[in-house]
Amino acid sequence: MPEATVYKPVTVPFKEKSDYPVPLRENGLLEEYLTGNHSHDIPEKTLNLEVAQMIAKLEAKPTFNPNLKFDPKKHIIFKDESFEGTTTATLKDLGINRTRTAPVSDFACAHPFPLISQEAVDMILWEALRPKVLKQFARLPNLSRNATRLDMHMGGHTKFEAPFSKDLYTSAEIARIVSKFTGVEASTIHNSSYGHMNISLATADPDELKEIPTEKKDLLAAYDIQNTKKGHEIPATLGLHYDSVTFALVIMLDLDPEAVGGETGIITGDDRVFRVPDPKVGYATLIQGMVLRHVATKPISNSNRITAVCGFMPCGRGMELDNCRLTSNKPSVLSRSSNNLYYSDWFDYRFENLQKHLQFQRDSIKEKFERGEQFDQLEMIKICKDMERYLYDGWKELEAVHNPPFPPEEYKTPYDQLPDYEY
Ligand SMILES: [Fe+2]
């Protein structure tokens, strides 16, 4: 007979009792999360200069077609040989023996593998970088190290403004690749968690350019200095963090071949930064970001670095109650998340999964009865508790009730000092 799950009773953090009733700037949070975080709007200078140049370049390509339709045969360049040919690492390989929550598989990361064509890359960039789209869906970062007017996050745009990107991210082909690498049947999560983009642009302002080393040897010297630093000290488009999604597929959309730096850095079990090598445009890396601390490093050279990050969750039958969180994506933390859009997407996905899981449990009850099995009360208590927890995890981090300082302590905690799982 299975044991009942060890489950701590839910302590409801009512607003009037919370230590952190509202988001505060001194806690690293965005106080204006309800009104769109407009203090982090992309400056006109960036839109009119570097972004305008990029759009002009994309539109000048002879094959440019604003109505291009996603065609997996043409735009997905992944070949099945890459499953064998790609270097992958397990959590054990990286010396990670403790994690902040239970990993869903032993998969840790896959080194870059070719995924999408240049035409697909160009279309994703064009859909995202148009000024009207950036104005609505992009913001300067909240908490990045050494961020400038040229660094931004964007996302949530795909269902309104980017049909090509949406079709690509949610395609069966991409889900199959992620599932095979991770060993877990996986699917994209919701509109606000696929097609997130971390954007760092090269400056086109001659005065700003003077500040950046151009000699290769100076760049490499600066890179060597960076490599002696701890993860949280490295200049980053996105500072040291865990993802709030189970898996992150990171697709490189722009990186100058001469760029120095700009890799994804993973923190290994011995607290060092391991830079996932050699990202190329159209290539992707894959990480179990929920349990791997990592950092999106900024190139040292004056180079564009643009990645698309696609969140995936386990989706197999009976596996609908994923471990995704709000922590780093909620609007008081991630400047580009909009209260109305982000939470509508979040609760729609949450309730859909719960609905699927309830259906799965209903079917199981019926099947077991028809097979003449004894009804297992303890097992049913666990099933109900898991669903309660899934609902609780859906709202426990809402700004209305929970605004602790960001980044949380666990982002800085070495793996081997992490506490036991909460459940
Ligand atoms: Fe990440």
Side-chain angles (χ1 to χ4, degrees):
M1 185 181 289
E3 286 180 22
T5 313
V6 177
Y7 179 84
K8 291 179 185 164
V10 169
T11 313
V12 178
F14 283 123
K15 195 174 179 179
E16 58 273 25
K17 291 182 185 167
S18 169
D19 289 341
Y20 302 106
V22 288
L24 295 173
R25 189 68 222 165
E26 68 246 38
N27 286 338
L29 301 171
L30 295 152
E31 295 177 2
E32 40 162 355
Y33 73 99
L34 284 174
T35 52
N37 294 327
H38 287 296
S39 62
H40 287 61
D41 280 350
I42 309 306
E44 288 291 326
K45 178 177 175 180
T46 307
L47 294 174
N48 295 336
L49 191 57
E50 290 84 1
V51 172
Q53 284 178 3
M54 289 193 70
I55 288 288
K57 209 167 139 190
L58 290 165
E59 292 181 354
K61 292 201 174 185
T63 53
F64 172 71
N65 170 10
N67 301 311
L68 186 70
K69 295 268 178 293
F70 171 65
D71 175 357
K73 287 194 194 69
K74 200 165 130 203
H75 297 125
I76 305 276
I77 57 164
F78 185 88
K79 298 270 180 292
D80 277 2
E81 298 90 88
S82 289
F83 287 125
E84 291 299 312
T86 300
T87 304
T88 58
T90 62
L91 293 168
K92 213 167 162 227
D93 292 337
L94 299 181
I96 298 170
N97 303 312
R98 273 177 96 81
T99 48
R100 65 173 180 156
T101 191
V104 299
S105 75
D106 196 33
F107 170 85
C109 66
H111 287 208
F113 51 87
L115 183 67
I116 61 173
S117 69
Q118 184 65 50
E119 186 178 62
V121 166
D122 289 346
M123 193 60 187
I124 294 172
L125 287 172
W126 182 80
E127 285 186 330
L129 293 176
R130 288 167 295 158
K132 70 163 188 166
V133 185
L134 281 183
K135 276 184 186 165
Q136 189 176 352
F137 295 99
R139 296 288 181 272
L140 299 174
N142 176 25
L143 285 169
S144 296
R145 281 190 78 82
N146 303 30
T148 71
R149 67 174 183 88
L150 297 161
D151 298 303
M152 55 188 106
H153 300 309
M154 83 150 326
H157 62 299
T158 58
K159 76 174 165 189
F160 308 100
E161 300 284 356
F164 179 93
S165 307
K166 180 174 186 279
D167 288 349
L168 185 143
Y169 296 139
T170 58
S171 65
E173 289 76 11
I174 300 260
R176 184 183 73 89
I177 294 164
V178 172
S179 303
K180 179 108 191 234
F181 271 123
T182 60
V184 174
E185 193 180 342
S187 67
T188 43
I189 303 170
H190 57 75
N191 171 65
S192 287
S193 83
Y194 53 75
H196 170 89
M197 290 163 82
N198 294 320
I199 302 172
S200 291
L201 299 178
T203 179
D205 177 327
D207 289 334
E208 290 173 5
L209 210 49
K210 284 183 208 146
E211 307 293 316
I212 302 166
T214 48
E215 292 283 328
K216 191 92 178 182
K217 68 171 174 34
D218 296 337
L219 292 168
L220 291 173
Y223 186 68
D224 285 345
I225 292 170
Q226 243 193 36
N227 282 336
T228 64
K229 293 182 191 275
K230 290 272 187 195
H232 66 276
E233 297 165 338
I234 293 180
T237 315
L238 194 57
L240 190 59
H241 66 284
Y242 286 103
D243 290 332
S244 296
V245 296
T246 312
F247 299 113
L249 177 73
V250 184
I251 307 172
M252 186 58 71
L253 297 176
D254 198 355
L255 187 68
D256 180 347
E258 293 296 307
V260 175
E263 306 95 335
T264 295
I266 290 176
I267 310 300
T268 53
D270 54 4
D271 219 27
R272 287 171 199 267
V273 181
F274 168 69
R275 290 180 188 250
V276 180
D278 196 30
K280 291 194 191 88
V281 170
Y283 279 53
T285 54
L286 183 61
I287 58 171
Q288 189 173 170
M290 177 58 72
V291 293
L292 272 189
R293 289 156 76 216
H294 58 280
V295 57
T297 68
K298 248 172 94 81
I300 294 161
S301 47
N302 183 44
S303 309
N304 289 349
R305 180 188 192 272
I306 305 180
T307 56
V309 187
C310 220
F312 280 81
M313 62 184 174
C315 69
R317 194 150 156 70
M319 297 281 293
E320 295 87 1
L321 306 185
D322 59 82
N323 60 8
C324 299
R325 303 181 183 193
L326 287 167
T327 323
S328 58
N329 290 340
K330 61 194 228 182
S332 58
V333 171
L334 183 63
S335 44
R336 67 88 177 158
S337 287
S338 122
N339 182 67
N340 294 358
L341 173 60
Y342 183 78
Y343 285 126
S344 301
D345 283 342
W346 170 261
F347 281 106
D348 183 54
Y349 120 84
R350 233 38 211 181
F351 291 171
E352 186 186 3
N353 279 357
L354 198 56
Q355 205 169 18
K356 283 185 190 161
H357 193 67
L358 275 166
Q359 189 59 55
F360 167 74
Q361 295 300 349
R362 287 182 66 195
D363 294 346
S364 303
I365 292 167
K366 200 167 154 224
E367 284 160 20
K368 284 177 187 170
F369 179 77
E370 282 166 1
R371 283 201 299 268
E373 279 183 27
Q374 176 158 326
F375 188 90
D376 187 334
Q377 295 190 9
L378 287 178
E379 188 189 22
M380 186 49 70
I381 291 170
K382 178 186 182 310
I383 289 165
C384 292
K385 291 288 187 191
D386 283 348
M387 285 192 272
E388 282 178 32
R389 179 182 56 77
Y390 194 69
L391 270 174
Y392 175 56
D393 287 350
W395 64 261
K396 72 180 182 189
E397 294 184 78
L398 291 184
E399 283 89 352
V401 290
H402 191 61
N403 304 283
F406 193 91
E409 272 308 306
E410 66 178 358
Y411 283 20
K412 289 170 246 162
T413 307
Y415 297 109
D416 57 10
Q417 290 169 28
L418 286 168
D420 286 334
Y421 308 140
E422 196 183 329
Y423 34 79

